């Protein structure tokens, strides 16, 4: 390793979040600490709250309509990113692949919060309990991504806690506003 390699390594490390571990932490940060993941979590929570209000709907239908709606949002994001990149003179293939990678957080945001709905499909819990579980898990996802953001920036422990609490409170407010609007 040459001195220039060390300089390049230090420069690239300074540009990345200060994650404390290797490839798994970088993969988590690259995929979870994204606008799409956070946005997707908020939208998915509001969707589930809204869809589940129908008295004649079962947990499977809530899960299906919630996921299908998120797929539509994903396709809209991929479309928008691809068109925008193509308009800047890039080839279609690269912008499309980049748009898919960039937008996949919208779909990933549905995974953890959907667990209670899957359990409700089996009949182990009611739809109301599942919706409460979706809300709780969604807020925990927001808390985890917020905490990771503070920790990766090496914030003091008290700033990590206060920042995470503030971020989750703001996330709850945005979910409720989105729910009220829909």
């Amino acid at each position: 390793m040459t001195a220039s390699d060390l300089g390049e390594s230090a420069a690239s490390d300074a540009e990345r979040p200060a994650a404390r571990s290797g490839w798994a932490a970088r993969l988590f940060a690259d995929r979870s600490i994204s606008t799409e993941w956070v946005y997707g979590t908020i939208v998915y929570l509001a969707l589930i709250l809204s869809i589940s209000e129908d008295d004649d709907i079962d947990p499977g239908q809530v899960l299906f309509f919630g996921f299908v709606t998120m797929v539509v949002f994903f396709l809209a994001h991929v479309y928008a990113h691809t068109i925008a990149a193509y308009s800047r003179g890039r080839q279609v293939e690269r912008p499309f692949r980049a748009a898919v990678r960039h937008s996949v957080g919208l779909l990933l945001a549905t995974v953890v919060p959907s667990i209670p709905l899957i359990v409700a499909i089996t009949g182990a819990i009611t739809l109301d309990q599942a919706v409460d579980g979706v809300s709780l898990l969604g807020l925990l996802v927001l808390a985890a991504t917020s905490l990771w953001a503070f920790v990766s920036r090496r914030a003091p422990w008290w700033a990590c806690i206060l920042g995470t609490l503030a971020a989750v409170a703001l996330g709850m407010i945005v979910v409720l506003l989105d729910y009220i609007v829909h």
Side-chain angles (χ1 to χ4, degrees), residues 115-153:
I115 294 169
L117 288 171
I118 294 167
V119 172
I121 291 170
T122 69
I125 60 175
T126 66
L127 177 59
D128 289 339
Q129 292 169 326
V131 171
D132 291 345
V134 168
S135 299
L136 177 63
L137 285 176
L139 292 174
L140 287 174
V141 166
L142 293 177
T145 55
S146 299
L147 181 61
W148 180 262
F150 286 103
V151 168
S152 69
R153 300 295 300 199

Side-chain angles (χ1 to χ4, degrees), residues 17-21 25 28 33 143-161 163-164:
R20 294 194 170 115
S21 57
F28 176 78
I33 309 298
T145 55
S146 299
L147 181 61
W148 180 262
F150 286 103
V151 168
S152 69
R153 300 295 300 199
R154 299 183 190 250
W157 67 268
W158 56 268
C160 293
I161 293 170
T164 298

Side-chain angles (χ1 to χ4, degrees), residues 10-169:
S12 63
D13 287 344
E15 294 169 1
R16 281 184 280 197
R20 294 194 170 115
S21 57
W23 67 269
R26 285 192 305 276
L27 178 64
F28 176 78
D30 289 347
R31 294 291 180 245
S32 66
I33 309 298
S34 71
T35 304
E36 288 71 22
W37 186 303
V38 174
Y39 171 72
T41 301
I42 289 169
V43 169
Y44 190 64
L45 292 178
L47 275 169
I48 296 304
L49 289 172
S50 188
I51 294 167
S52 66
E53 280 190 343
D54 185 352
D55 292 334
D56 296 329
I57 199 160
D58 64 61
Q61 292 170 318
V62 172
L63 182 64
F64 175 77
F65 291 125
F67 185 72
V68 167
T69 302
M70 292 305 290
V71 169
V72 170
F73 283 139
F74 167 77
L75 293 173
H77 275 251
V78 169
Y79 172 76
H81 282 281
T82 303
I83 294 298
Y86 185 70
S87 72
R88 292 187 295 271
R90 298 185 182 134
Q91 295 175 348
V92 174
E93 298 84 29
R94 277 187 265 159
F96 178 75
R97 276 187 256 137
V100 169
R101 277 193 310 273
H102 182 78
S103 301
V104 74
L106 288 168
L107 298 178
L108 294 175
T110 66
V111 175
V112 172
S114 293
I115 294 169
L117 288 171
I118 294 167
V119 172
I121 291 170
T122 69
I125 60 175
T126 66
L127 177 59
D128 289 339
Q129 292 169 326
V131 171
D132 291 345
V134 168
S135 299
L136 177 63
L137 285 176
L139 292 174
L140 287 174
V141 166
L142 293 177
T145 55
S146 299
L147 181 61
W148 180 262
F150 286 103
V151 168
S152 69
R153 300 295 300 199
R154 299 183 190 250
W157 67 268
W158 56 268
C160 293
I161 293 170
L162 291 176
T164 298
L165 291 173
V168 170

